Amino acid sequence: MKVEKRTLFEYKQQNDFLNKLNEVQRIAVESPIKQQLVLAGPGTGKTTVITFKTIFLLLNNNINPEKLLILTFTNKAADEMIRRIKQYTNQKIPYIGTFHSVIIKILRENLPIKTTQYSINDKINIVDEEEKIEIIKNILSKNKNKKKHNPYMISNIISSIKNGIPVKVKNDEIEEIIFEYNHFLKKINSLDFDDIILCMNNLLTENKKTKEKISNKFDYVIIDEFQDINKTQFEFVYHITGREKAIFAVGDDDQSIYRFRNSDVEIMLNFKKYYPESELIILKYNYRSGSKIIKTCSQLISFNINRFEKNILPFYSKNDEVEIRIFKDEENEFDYIAQKINENKDKHIAVLCRTNDVGKEIEKNLIKRGINAKFVGNYDFFERKEVKDIIAFLKVINNPKDDLNLIRILKNYFKLKKSELNKIIAKMEEKNVIDVLEEENFEIYTKINELIKKQNKSVDTVLEKIIELTEKNEINETFLSFVNNFCKNNEKNDVESFLNYITLIRMNNEQKVEKKNKVWIMTMHSSKGLEFEVVFVCRVKQGVIPHFKTSDDEKEEERRLLYVALSRAKEKLYITTPVPPSEFIIPLLN
């Protein structure tokens, strides 16, 4: 690809964006050192620095946009970077997005794939988290002895193993369940989320020619939220960069809160070990909060030992407030929160807590006190049964061997009798369901097969045919509008492309909390990346945070979680709890 010379307009744009940076941000953006770790604490302009670094490379260094690999952990972050980059340059970056979306794209470009663990011919079919649990439940239901096992625990074990986390499997039954799960995925030609990156790493490890081809595609790797990276993700990155290639990693070790998703903060803390020639830059100016809030957050996190030292300063002078209140019981705590909310009615307010259960309890009690409060949970439009059924149908059209979803549509769309379903399920050990339907001369097979033939057409055309098989309703029409919008905005709009898109956006489900006339209640984890004028961090109680199940080596992450919650506040921060208060906030009382 030929890179055009910069126009006078582009020179002016370049100078314009550089003038928007503070001196430390500008050092990070303009530094000629090709390997950098940038520590970006809350409100220090992380997205600005990543975006402007990208623009600087495009406009000043004439980097070919196809040679950039930009990896994020959320669709929201990727979309925001793309939007900002478009303001300053007309160039399109093909490889920007979440780890999973970018790796799926690269895998597709290298089909067919043959490794010791994976064999993929012409399509990448993805099993989402809900389907993963359903597969495990089906395996457990077949054996009385296995029914005692928790499917969610099994799912976590499988994920940990695939992400290179040492797991002691004490039970032969669990090993059998894991084997059966992986065997079933192969039977239905599918990968789970963890397989996507593991498959890529297998390919890069086992095929030198392919590794050279993929590694040579990129000259510069940029990573957002580097503290959230896990071992398999970093293995992929290191395959691309080695010790020599350019990398710009931005994150904050003090905000590493996803250990339960296998993220490993040690990778960030040991960045110099992997890249000995690298430069460390600390963004020190916080644009979000005032000095009192920053001081409280800094004091809290200073008790962690395993971290980079930082001295965060407020960029603006603000009249901010911090209050810490301890109550004799929950009712007094709720009364106080309601009173303070009423005093700040015109503000953007959030109430943050440790768990979903506590969040729902807070919602109920604030509503009871006349507060317009809403708990932000994980339920969304795609969780509706009707939508799940449509997605199941699309998955079968894309991958006829998808037994799990084919059984679902036989039950929900074609209303097959239980006796007929049981007859099919009994043969599933030896054959795929679609083959059983064909052999039994089911009329249903003909209808499904007609739709399978349309899998390469645009997904909106296929969806209209599916809707013809059922009653038209508001949910179907809403989903069709969503699909039409996808087809307008994406050149590749076949069924497979749409399913990959929808799986990834559901995986990175991000909440919108924009309205000021509502009090938003959410967990501390859900608040990551958000900011509010007024923040209540409540039930900061011993046994809640740190959680009573927390081991000694997990306490630092629990403190980081509280740090993330406190640092969401722009103007006012209220820390509340019934007795006994958390050991984390006792030092803050002085």
Side-chain angles (χ1 to χ4, degrees):
M1 175 179 174
K2 187 180 177 183
V3 180
E4 296 178 7
K5 290 183 179 179
R6 286 169 291 156
T7 64
L8 181 61
F9 168 76
E10 287 173 324
Y11 274 114
K12 287 179 179 176
Q13 288 286 72
Q14 180 189 334
N15 290 331
D16 178 44
F17 81 76
L18 288 175
N19 291 333
K20 291 180 179 179
L21 302 172
N22 66 49
E23 69 269 26
V24 186
Q25 291 173 333
R26 191 156 179 164
I27 289 168
V29 168
E30 293 186 289
S31 173
I33 295 172
K34 66 179 187 177
Q35 296 178 334
Q36 294 170 275
L37 175 62
V38 179
L39 302 182
T44 56
K46 172 181 63 69
T47 305
T48 297
V49 168
I50 293 176
T51 305
F52 286 3
K53 180 72 173 184
T54 305
I55 296 164
F56 186 80
L57 292 171
L58 292 170
L59 297 185
N60 191 72
N61 292 10
N62 284 328
I63 291 264
N64 183 333
E66 291 186 0
K67 289 286 191 178
L68 283 173
L69 173 61
I70 304 177
L71 300 166
T72 70
F73 283 87
T74 66
N75 297 304
K76 180 182 173 185
D79 292 343
E80 178 63 15
M81 285 180 211
I82 292 166
R83 185 187 67 79
R84 292 197 198 183
I85 291 165
K86 278 185 179 177
Q87 291 176 353
Y88 293 92
T89 170
N90 296 321
Q91 299 180 58
K92 185 179 179 183
I93 301 170
Y95 298 94
I96 180 171
T98 63
F99 271 87
H100 287 89
S101 66
V102 169
I103 289 174
I104 286 170
K105 182 175 183 175
I106 297 170
L107 285 172
R108 273 179 157 186
E109 292 169 351
N110 288 277
L111 291 172
I113 291 166
K114 301 284 182 189
T115 74
T116 49
Q117 279 185 262
Y118 300 97
S119 178
I120 307 169
N121 293 319
D122 57 347
K123 282 184 184 172
I124 295 171
N125 305 304
I126 304 168
V127 165
D128 64 29
E129 288 301 304
E130 189 179 341
E131 289 167 333
K132 181 182 179 183
I133 295 296
E134 192 62 33
I135 292 166
I136 295 168
K137 283 180 177 177
N138 289 343
I139 292 167
L140 298 180
S141 67
K142 291 175 188 173
N143 188 308
K144 285 181 182 179
N145 293 328
K146 292 175 182 174
K147 280 183 183 179
K148 63 189 175 189
H149 297 294
N150 183 323
Y152 296 94
M153 182 201 72
I154 301 289
S155 174
N156 289 337
I157 291 172
I158 291 169
S159 187
S160 293
I161 291 169
K162 290 185 179 183
N163 280 288
I165 309 296
V167 178
K168 288 183 181 178
V169 180
K170 299 174 183 177
N171 194 309
D172 288 343
E173 287 174 5
I174 294 177
E175 285 188 352
E176 285 175 21
I177 294 162
I178 294 168
F179 175 81
E180 287 180 54
Y181 168 80
N182 288 320
H183 178 72
F184 185 79
L185 287 187
K186 285 179 182 175
K187 180 174 179 274
I188 64 171
N189 288 339
S190 297
L191 305 175
D192 63 23
F193 284 130
D194 299 309
D195 283 321
I196 293 166
I197 299 175
L198 195 56
C199 177
M200 173 57 81
N201 288 340
N202 274 193
L203 183 63
L204 294 172
T205 302
E206 296 177 19
N207 192 320
K208 288 183 181 178
K209 194 174 178 181
T210 304
K211 177 179 178 175
E212 193 176 319
K213 174 188 165 188
I214 293 172
S215 181
N216 288 341
K217 279 180 78 74
F218 307 110
D219 289 338
Y220 218 109
V221 178
I222 297 174
I223 307 174
D224 182 28
E225 301 284 11
F226 190 67
Q227 76 279 350
D228 293 337
I229 201 163
N230 67 31
K231 287 179 180 176
T232 53
Q233 289 163 342
F234 185 65
E235 185 184 337
F236 164 69
V237 170
Y238 208 65
H239 272 302
I240 302 298
T241 66
R243 288 167 76 91
E244 304 297 328
K245 203 170 279 188
I247 180 169
F248 187 76
V250 183
D252 181 12
D253 54 305
D254 290 333
Q255 296 186 74
S256 176
I257 59 171
Y258 294 116
R259 182 172 173 167
F260 66 93
R261 292 183 190 166
N262 300 308
S263 69
D264 186 355
V265 72
E266 293 295 326
I267 295 168
M268 185 174 199
L269 295 171
N270 290 307
F271 191 81
K272 194 80 174 173
K273 172 184 157 187
Y274 302 109
Y275 302 102
E277 302 301 315
S278 63
E279 170 185 44
L280 178 68
I281 295 173
I282 302 174
L283 304 183
K284 63 180 180 179
Y285 293 112
N286 181 322
Y287 289 78
R288 176 186 299 160
S289 309
S291 59
K292 291 176 185 173
I293 294 171
I294 292 170
K295 185 179 177 182
T296 301
C297 295
S298 297
Q299 189 180 351
L300 168 73
I301 203 64
S302 68
F303 286 92
N304 274 8
I305 296 166
N306 199 24
R307 63 186 289 266
F308 289 110
E309 285 293 327
K310 307 171 193 73
N311 180 27
I312 306 298
L313 304 170
F315 190 80
Y316 300 112
S317 178
K318 288 185 178 182
N319 259 332
D320 61 330
E321 295 177 22
V322 177
E323 282 191 33
I324 304 174
R325 300 294 296 268
I326 299 169
F327 302 93
K328 65 177 182 181
D329 57 34
E330 283 84 357
E331 286 299 310
N332 280 272
E333 183 185 21
F334 291 137
D335 287 342
Y336 174 79
I337 293 171
Q339 174 199 329
K340 289 296 178 182
I341 287 171
N342 285 323
E343 290 175 12
N344 293 279
K345 274 185 176 176
D346 58 332
K347 301 289 186 181
H348 196 196
I349 301 174
V351 180
L352 310 181
C353 55
R354 178 66 179 83
T355 64
N356 285 312
D357 289 343
V358 172
K360 289 169 186 172
E361 182 190 346
I362 292 166
E363 179 186 49
K364 181 181 73 176
N365 279 280
L366 289 183
I367 290 171
K368 190 168 77 175
R369 287 164 171 80
I371 303 294
N372 183 16
K374 168 72 177 171
F375 176 66
V376 182
N378 294 323
Y379 186 86
D380 62 13
F381 176 75
F382 298 108
E383 293 296 311
R384 292 174 181 269
K385 176 188 171 296
E386 300 92 333
V387 175
K388 285 181 179 178
D389 288 344
I390 295 172
I391 294 170
F393 215 138
L394 289 171
K395 286 195 169 191
V396 170
I397 291 166
N398 183 60
N399 176 21
K401 291 187 176 182
D402 188 341
D403 293 347
L404 189 71
N405 284 301
L406 185 44
I407 290 292
R408 181 183 182 112
I409 65 171
L410 290 176
K411 196 186 300 179
N412 296 341
Y413 264 96
F414 295 103
K415 310 296 181 188
L416 225 60
K417 292 177 183 176
K418 192 172 181 182
S419 58
E420 292 175 308
L421 270 175
N422 288 339
K423 188 179 174 184
I424 293 167
I425 290 167
K427 297 183 178 182
M428 273 176 62
E429 289 292 325
E430 299 169 9
K431 299 176 183 178
N432 289 104
V433 174
I434 193 76
D435 297 326
V436 177
L437 287 176
E438 185 180 14
E439 286 174 11
E440 298 290 338
N441 294 317
F442 276 72
E443 182 187 341
I444 295 166
Y445 172 78
T446 308
K447 291 181 180 179
I448 294 172
N449 201 40
E450 283 302 309
L451 286 167
I452 290 169
K453 290 174 186 175
K454 299 180 188 296
Q455 61 182 252
N456 293 321
K457 294 188 180 294
S458 64
V459 65
D460 52 351
T461 306
V462 178
L463 183 57
E464 284 171 0
K465 294 291 181 186
I466 292 173
I467 291 172
E468 285 175 12
L469 295 173
T470 186
E471 296 177 15
K472 283 201 172 186
N473 57 50
E474 188 182 341
I475 301 296
N476 286 347
E477 292 301 314
T478 303
F479 192 72
L480 184 56
S481 298
F482 174 78
V483 168
N484 287 335
N485 189 53
F486 168 82
C487 291
K488 282 178 192 173
N489 294 315
N490 293 274
E491 289 177 24
K492 209 164 170 48
N493 54 27
D494 59 344
V495 175
E496 182 189 4
S497 300
F498 174 74
L499 287 172
N500 284 342
Y501 169 76
I502 203 169
T503 301
L504 291 167
I505 65 167
R506 289 184 70 199
M507 179 190 179
N508 294 294
N509 187 23
E510 293 135 9
Q511 304 291 344
K512 292 185 178 179
V513 287
E514 294 159 357
K515 293 180 182 176
K516 283 194 176 184
N517 60 348
K518 192 183 287 286
V519 174
W520 298 100
I521 304 165
M522 65 186 73
T523 65
M524 295 174 183
H525 281 102
S526 298
S527 73
K528 179 86 173 7
L530 302 175
E531 59 181 34
F532 303 87
E533 290 164 325
V534 179
V535 170
F536 294 85
V537 182
C538 62
R539 201 68 64 84
V540 188
K541 182 179 180 181
Q542 192 67 14
V544 175
I545 186 162
H547 196 269
F548 69 92
K549 290 183 179 177
T550 302
S551 61
D552 286 342
D553 68 327
E554 293 170 333
K555 270 194 182 176
E556 290 211 348
E557 174 138 344
E558 288 284 292
R559 190 180 277 111
R560 290 195 293 265
L561 180 58
L562 183 57
Y563 173 80
V564 166
L566 303 190
S567 60
R568 301 308 94 197
K570 295 168 76 174
E571 298 172 9
K572 295 181 181 180
L573 172 62
Y574 298 97
I575 304 168
T576 68
T577 185
V579 291
S582 164
E583 64 188 81
F584 293 160
I585 64 167
I586 290 171
L588 307 183
L589 294 171
N590 298 322

